[in-house]
Amino acid sequence: MTDSNGPKDNNQDEAQAADPVVSKPYIMPDDPEEGANEALVKEAAEARDKMLRTLAEMENLRRRTQKEVADARTYGVTAFARDVLEIADNLQRALDAVPAEARANADAGLKALIEGVELTERSLLNALEKNGVKKFDPQGQKFDPNFQQAMYEVPDPSVPAGTVVQVVQAGFMIGERVLRPALVGVAKGGAKPTPAAANGGESGGAA
C-alpha cells in the first residue's frame, strides 16, 4: 500500500537541508590615519588656490583680448591714414600756393577752384576724424617734444621762450597716439616769467 504523504515528506526534508540565509555582519571602517584631516584641508586649500589663479588668468586674458580688439579697431587704419595724410598735405600746399592778393582779386573760375579744393580738404579731414584721426595745431602753445618736432628757432621777445610761433606742418593724432608730430618753429630768447609772478600764487596763499 502506497503512502500518500511520501512526496510531502521529501519536500520537507529538502527544505530543512537548505542553508539558512544569514545577513553579513557590518564591519566598522578603520580609524583614519593620524594627520589625514590636515592633509585633506591642505589639499582643499591648494585646489581652491589653483582655481582662483585660473580664474584670475582667465580674467586677465579676457581683458587683454578686449584691449587688443579695441586697439585693432582704433589703430588698424594707421598705415592707411599715413598715406591719406599726404593727400591732405598736397591740398593744403595747393591752397597756400595761392597768394592772398590773387585770392581776393580772383575771377569766378579761380574762386570756384579754390572753394572746391577747400571743400575737398574739409571732407578728407572729416573722413579721417570719423576713423579716429584728428588734426591738431599747436600754434601759440608751449613746445612739447611728445607731440611736436622743432625745425628751427625764431627770435621773438614778445612771447616766452619755448613757445610754438610757427607751424610748418600740422600734426595728427590717432586715438591717444601721435600719428604724425607737428613740425614747428619755436621762440628763442623770449620773455621769461619773473620770480615774483612765478611765486605769486604761493605768496597769496600765505597771506
Side-chain angles (χ1 to χ4, degrees):
M1 187 172 179
T2 304
D3 188 358
S4 58
N5 296 328
K8 293 182 179 180
D9 293 340
N10 292 336
N11 293 336
Q12 291 177 357
D13 294 340
E14 292 177 358
Q16 292 176 357
D19 294 335
V21 178
V22 180
S23 61
K24 295 182 180 181
Y26 177 75
I27 301 176
M28 293 291 293
D30 296 336
D31 293 335
E33 297 180 0
E34 184 178 357
N37 291 337
E38 291 79 0
L40 290 175
V41 171
K42 181 180 179 181
E43 183 178 352
E46 291 176 352
R48 182 176 182 274
D49 182 65
K50 289 181 179 179
M51 180 189 69
L52 293 176
R53 289 177 181 271
T54 301
L55 291 176
E57 291 176 359
M58 293 178 63
E59 178 64 17
N60 291 336
L61 177 60
R62 183 186 67 82
R63 291 178 180 176
R64 285 198 304 269
T65 302
Q66 285 183 340
K67 186 178 185 303
E68 289 174 359
V69 171
D71 287 348
R73 185 181 298 113
T74 301
Y75 304 111
V77 297
T78 298
F80 175 73
R82 285 198 181 100
D83 293 338
V84 174
L85 292 186
E86 295 182 6
I87 302 174
D89 291 339
N90 290 333
L91 292 172
Q92 185 62 52
R93 292 189 188 102
L95 293 173
D96 293 340
V98 181
E101 183 180 353
R103 181 176 299 195
N105 299 325
D107 57 17
L110 181 56
K111 286 183 178 180
L113 177 61
I114 294 173
E115 291 174 357
V117 174
E118 291 175 341
L119 179 60
T120 303
E121 183 190 28
R122 286 196 299 270
S123 298
L124 182 59
L125 294 178
N126 288 336
L128 287 171
E129 189 167 349
K130 287 180 180 178
N131 288 274
V133 180
K134 294 183 179 181
K135 180 180 180 180
F136 67 91
D137 187 340
Q139 180 75 30
Q141 300 177 9
K142 184 179 179 181
F143 175 73
D144 187 343
N146 296 316
F147 299 93
Q148 300 134 31
Q149 180 178 344
M151 303 300 294
Y152 49 82
E153 291 182 322
V154 180
D156 188 348
S158 65
V159 295
T163 301
V164 175
V165 292
Q166 295 179 6
V167 178
V168 180
Q169 189 178 73
F172 284 85
M173 300 285 295
I174 179 169
E176 297 179 355
R177 301 177 186 174
V178 176
L179 178 63
R180 187 183 73 185
L183 305 182
V184 300
V186 183
K188 176 184 178 181
K192 296 182 179 180
T194 61
N199 298 327
E202 298 178 0
S203 299

